[in-house]
Amino acid sequence: MKRTRRNFSPGLARAAIFVFAACVLAVGQSSPEASLPQVHLDADGLAPRPIEELTGTTIARQYALAWHDLAEALEFDRSGRIDEGFVGFAKDRLTQRISEQKQAGLHVRIVDHGHHLKAVFYSTDGTAMQLVDQAQLEIQTFDGNKLLDTQNASHSYVVLMTPGADRWYVRDLEEVSSKSF
Amino acid sequence: MKRTPENGFARFAGLSILALLCMLPGWARAAELQVPAVVEAGRGFTISVDGSGQGTFYLVGPDHVVKRTVSLGGDLQIQSSDVRAAGRYQLIVCGSSCNSAVFDVKAARPAHLSFFLHPSRVPVSTPDSIDASAFVFDQYFNLVLTPETVDFRIAPAGGAGVSRQVSTRNGVAWMRINSTPHEGRVQVTAVLDKVEEARVIQQVAAEACGLRMKAVTSGDTAVLETDPIRDCSGNALPDGTVVSFTKIDKAGKSTVDTPIKKGVARMQFSMHGPAQIDVACGVVLGNEIVVTPTGKL
């Protein structure tokens, strides 16, 4: 049997390489790491216990993950998204809110422009850290597909985070007037 | 008034500024929806809504979402149950167009204390060794961010109680105190108005102080026994604390760990000629003795 040889044109090869590269780029950009909001942590003067550098890095990353999950949960009415990053009061409240907004046919889109976290209290036994977050958020509220309202402003939050088996969780997330600080 | 080009320009400029102001969302909202800037958690209130006919009212809060049809041009009641969680609320009323406003709900009066006392066991007479942290919450478990004074009442067993007042910052009050010289339980109670939370820790003896042993030989066997082991404040170290005896003789070096029983540590060595023996408990070294098979030197 005669063996036939297939010839690939250089143009086809270039197109294939381009498609592959685009897919890699798309996968990379769709990963949670790529879409995490910017979080900057300032822990100067933290009391009664100073923070270790690794703990600070972990907290900033997991707070960013928590906001990423929160934004998805509020936009797509998926309360399951907050299971990984939230516990306690924060989780209970968000779960209830998502359930009620789903029932009402609402959803909220958060365009996250970043967070400036200031650690203000870290308990000696390492079981609780309180932080103040100055976040720049654009919050769009929809009823179905109808845009009801857009708020583009600075938001202040008092945050309580506690460590779990392998990560830090948001235990309390309370928005406050920026005049509070 | 005579119409001049200057007057016409001034009127145009004034109307333009007014039109721009009306287009600003904050200004328009303020005109349409008058909401209080801050509301206490669990307190309902009433707002008036301009317009006529039917509209849709939305309230979006930290844990609660309301959507209902309302009659425009009247009062709108926000129920106390709608504003229990502290945080920012968004209120939207839609008729032919939508208007919105935001308001903050702040925590009500303190009703709960979440109190942590650390550690559970602490050596006596150790500076800054006891930490107390109290988080102040209202009846809906909102963190109370306005400064409140928490009274920490410290009652050591068999000693005089002391009290220390600490003001909260961002809802948290914390303090650090020294442990007292005597072992036993210490109760610390955090008090705020009528709310009280008590925790107990145990003060235990610190490191051994003046550790001494004696030896009695019988043939080639040495029986070692310490004096009652106490810390520098006179508190007996608890049974189970490990004491190490180390012997050096012709056979080499040998260390044996033994727990304190009934306040003293005992052990027995076989000797190969004269032996040098020392005793230690934790970081504290005791006396050193040399014994021979025929008796103590």
Side-chain angles (χ1 to χ4, degrees):
Chain A
M1 197 173 99
K2 192 177 176 184
R3 184 177 280 180
T4 57
R5 186 176 172 189
R6 289 181 183 172
N7 291 324
F8 288 94
S9 71
L12 190 62
R14 268 200 298 273
I17 290 168
F18 174 77
V19 168
F20 177 72
C23 288
V24 169
L25 199 62
V27 168
Q29 284 185 339
S30 64
S31 69
E33 296 289 335
S35 55
L36 289 184
Q38 291 285 319
V39 174
H40 175 259
L41 175 65
D42 172 10
D44 285 349
L46 185 57
R49 171 181 167 159
I51 192 172
E52 297 80 8
E53 190 181 341
L54 184 61
T55 307
T57 310
T58 306
I59 281 179
R61 186 174 171 279
Q62 288 177 350
Y63 189 67
L65 272 169
W67 269 95
H68 174 266
D69 292 349
L70 172 60
E72 284 201 348
L74 290 175
E75 180 159 8
F76 303 110
D77 289 336
R78 286 193 212 137
S79 55
R81 290 292 301 162
I82 60 167
D83 287 349
E84 281 189 21
F86 294 85
V87 290
F89 299 140
K91 184 179 172 184
D92 294 346
R93 286 176 176 171
L94 287 169
T95 304
Q96 189 177 333
R97 172 181 166 167
I98 292 162
S99 161
E100 290 185 9
Q101 77 171 34
K102 188 176 182 180
Q103 210 170 358
L106 300 185
H107 68 274
V108 171
R109 181 177 298 153
I110 296 176
V111 182
D112 197 325
H113 298 298
H115 303 255
H116 186 96
L117 272 181
K118 169 85 179 153
V120 292
F121 172 79
Y122 187 20
S123 65
T124 312
D125 57 354
T127 54
M129 185 179 292
Q130 192 183 41
L131 310 109
V132 174
D133 177 16
Q134 301 285 345
Q136 198 64 42
L137 306 174
E138 185 179 340
I139 299 175
Q140 301 167 345
T141 308
F142 293 86
D143 184 352
N145 292 323
K146 181 186 173 189
L147 177 64
L148 299 176
D149 185 51
T150 300
Q151 305 272 339
N152 192 356
S154 181
H155 297 254
S156 303
Y157 295 88
V158 172
V159 186
L160 188 65
M161 293 186 78
T162 54
D166 60 347
R167 59 176 300 149
W168 281 78
Y169 294 97
V170 177
R171 184 168 286 276
D172 195 26
L173 180 69
E174 203 169 293
E175 185 166 3
V176 294
S177 164
S178 53
K179 292 173 192 166
S180 307
F181 305 106
Chain B
M1 195 173 93
K2 191 179 176 184
R3 180 173 279 189
T4 64
E6 289 79 13
N7 282 344
F9 176 75
R11 188 173 294 126
F12 173 74
L15 287 171
S16 301
I17 290 166
L18 193 63
L20 275 171
L21 281 173
C22 290
M23 284 160 69
L24 285 174
W27 201 89
R29 282 180 201 124
E32 299 289 339
L33 293 172
Q34 298 284 344
V35 295
V38 181
V39 176
E40 189 177 296
R43 290 212 169 180
F45 60 96
T46 304
I47 60 166
S48 60
V49 183
D50 292 343
S52 59
Q54 298 284 299
T56 309
F57 159 74
Y58 302 90
L59 182 68
V60 180
D63 71 341
H64 191 45
V65 173
V66 177
K67 176 187 175 184
R68 64 172 185 259
T69 303
V70 292
S71 297
L72 303 177
D75 286 346
L76 188 59
Q77 178 69 34
I78 310 296
Q79 304 292 334
S80 59
S81 57
D82 291 335
V83 286
R84 283 182 178 165
R88 182 151 295 178
Y89 285 68
Q90 190 181 7
L91 194 149
I92 305 169
V93 177
C94 293
S96 55
S97 63
C98 294
N99 291 299
S100 71
V102 292
F103 61 93
D104 290 320
V105 171
K106 66 166 193 171
R109 291 292 309 144
H112 302 279
L113 284 171
S114 188
F115 181 34
F116 301 91
L117 194 62
H118 176 80
S120 55
R121 286 163 66 87
V122 63
V124 296
S125 301
T126 309
D128 289 338
S129 54
I130 301 172
D131 280 278
S133 308
F135 291 77
V136 181
F137 294 95
D138 70 1
Q139 61 175 312
Y140 307 110
F141 292 96
N142 300 304
L143 197 59
V144 179
L145 298 174
T146 50
E148 301 283 346
T149 301
V150 177
D151 188 7
F152 291 103
R153 294 176 188 163
I154 304 136
V162 290
S163 170
R164 191 183 291 183
Q165 279 86 35
V166 180
S167 183
T168 59
R169 190 172 174 194
N170 296 322
V172 188
W174 66 272
M175 63 147 196
R176 192 177 270 170
I177 52 170
N178 306 338
S179 56
T180 55
H182 299 291
E183 64 184 345
R185 71 199 291 273
V186 176
Q187 179 169 308
V188 182
T189 309
V191 182
L192 175 53
D193 297 337
K194 292 176 183 170
V195 190
E196 287 191 15
E197 277 292 326
R199 299 286 181 272
V200 173
I201 61 170
Q202 194 72 22
Q203 289 192 152
V204 295
E207 296 290 349
C209 196
L211 178 61
R212 293 194 62 79
M213 68 173 164
K214 55 186 180 290
V216 176
T217 55
S218 170
D220 59 356
T221 302
V223 177
L224 305 160
E225 183 177 310
T226 63
D227 292 344
I229 303 176
R230 298 181 182 278
D231 67 11
C232 295
S233 303
N235 301 297
L237 265 68
D239 282 4
T241 305
V242 172
V243 175
S244 302
F245 295 93
T246 302
K247 176 199 73 165
I248 301 172
D249 61 9
K250 282 181 188 168
K253 184 176 179 180
S254 133
T255 299
V256 174
D257 292 338
T258 185
I260 296 173
K261 284 182 187 169
K262 295 182 179 174
V264 297
R266 283 187 197 89
M267 80 113 1
Q268 190 172 302
F269 272 126
S270 291
M271 294 179 294
H272 301 273
Q276 177 188 314
I277 301 171
D278 61 50
V279 62
C281 181
V283 295
V284 175
L285 284 174
N287 62 325
E288 187 179 288
I289 57 176
V290 177
V291 291
T292 64
T294 54
K296 184 182 169 187
L297 291 180

